[in-house]
Amino acid sequence: MQRDIIHIDEDKCNGCGLCITGCHEGALALVDGKARLIAETYCDGLGACLPACPTGAITIVKKEADAFIAPAPGSPADLEEKAKQATEQPAFTGCPGTRSRVIERQDEPAVPSPGDETQSELGQWPVQIKLIPVTAPYLNGAKLLIAADCAAYSRANFHRDFIKGRVTMIGCPKLDAGDYSEKLTEIFKRNDIKSVTVVRMEVPCCGGLDYAVKNALAASGKMIPWQVVTLGTDGSILDE
C-alpha cells in the first residue's frame, strides 16, 4: 500500500542518535554509525523524529510500504526488537560533539583558594545553534543566550556576565549557511522560553543574529522578553 513513511538521507546523517529517542515506536536504530529505519511497520509516518534531527536528514515520503502496526508495549515483538537494538547497537555511536546532555556543576566556594581556576558556567551541550535539537529537554523553561561565537573570546568575564543561569546557543551568521530564523522559530514554538539575550559583536555581519531572533519571535507568535547586547572587539559593552 502507498503511505507516508520516513526517509533518512545517509549523507546528511551524522549518527547522533537523537532521532531514536524521538521515535516512540522503536522503528529506528543506529547501524554502522548511521540512523536506519529497521522496522517499516513500526513507522507511523507522522514524523515525530524530524524535530530531533539537527542536520535535516529525515524527511517524510510517500512510498509502497506495509501497513503501520503499533507495537504493543511488552509484546514479544516489541521486547525482541528492543533486545536486538540493545545487544547489537550501542545507545550512541555518533559524533560525541553532537550528543545532547546537561552538564551538572557544583557551586564554587565563596572564597576560592589561591591558584583555583574560575569554573565554567556552561550548563549544556551542544552549544552550536545548528546542532541543538529543538526539543532538547533543557530548552523548556530556559533563559536563552544566543551569542556570536567570537563574543566569549573578546570578553574575559563572558561566562560570569552572560552564560551563568542561561542555556547557551552560539553561531556566526557570516560562516554558517543560511540563517537561524526557522530553527529558532521552532525552538520558541515548542518550548516555554522565559527570555532571550542576544550578545553580538559590533561588526556588521553579527546583525544576522538579532535579525534572526526578531523574525523567529514574530513567526512564533509568542511574546518573549528579549534584549540585544553589543560588544566591542576589545570586549567592552557598547550598548544593551
Side-chain angles (χ1 to χ4, degrees), residues 32-233:
D32 297 328
K34 297 286 185 178
R36 299 276 179 85
L37 178 60
I38 59 169
E40 285 193 350
T41 55
Y42 286 2
C43 177
D44 58 14
L46 298 178
C49 55
L50 268 68
C53 179
T55 64
I58 306 176
T59 54
I60 297 177
V61 299
K62 190 175 287 293
K63 59 174 283 190
E64 192 72 24
D66 292 334
F68 168 65
I69 302 174
S75 68
D78 185 45
L79 294 175
E80 181 182 349
E81 188 58 49
K82 290 184 181 298
K84 179 181 177 182
Q85 290 184 32
T87 56
E88 293 186 1
Q89 297 298 327
F92 184 87
T93 61
C95 170
T98 63
R99 185 174 187 175
S100 185
R101 66 188 183 97
V102 173
I103 302 172
E104 301 289 346
R105 299 192 185 279
Q106 296 180 345
D107 292 336
E108 285 188 296
V111 181
S113 301
D116 282 357
E117 294 184 1
T118 301
Q119 176 175 272
S120 170
E121 297 292 348
L122 187 65
Q124 99 290 335
W125 188 267
V127 295
Q128 288 283 351
I129 295 173
K130 295 203 173 229
L131 295 181
I132 293 177
V134 298
T135 55
Y138 48 73
L139 289 174
N140 204 36
K143 297 178 180 179
L144 286 188
L145 168 65
I146 301 176
D149 51 14
C150 297
Y153 290 96
S154 67
R155 187 166 181 83
N157 292 326
F158 191 81
H159 279 243
R160 185 195 65 191
D161 295 344
F162 297 109
I163 293 180
K164 187 174 183 178
R166 296 184 175 102
V167 169
T168 303
M169 306 173 67
I170 67 170
C172 177
K174 187 170 185 176
L175 299 181
D176 287 342
D179 85 47
Y180 309 114
S181 299
E182 185 175 348
K183 179 73 172 282
L184 293 176
T185 298
E186 288 302 306
I187 288 175
F188 296 155
K189 281 183 177 180
R190 292 170 178 266
N191 301 279
D192 178 23
I193 302 300
K194 299 301 184 184
S195 66
V196 179
T197 299
V198 179
V199 180
R200 54 163 293 184
M201 302 300 296
E202 63 178 319
V203 294
C205 57
C206 256
L209 282 180
D210 34 310
Y211 172 82
V213 171
K214 183 178 180 179
N215 284 350
L217 287 170
S220 73
K222 290 187 174 182
M223 298 292 292
I224 302 174
W226 71 297
Q227 63 171 331
V228 179
V229 179
T230 303
L231 300 182
T233 53

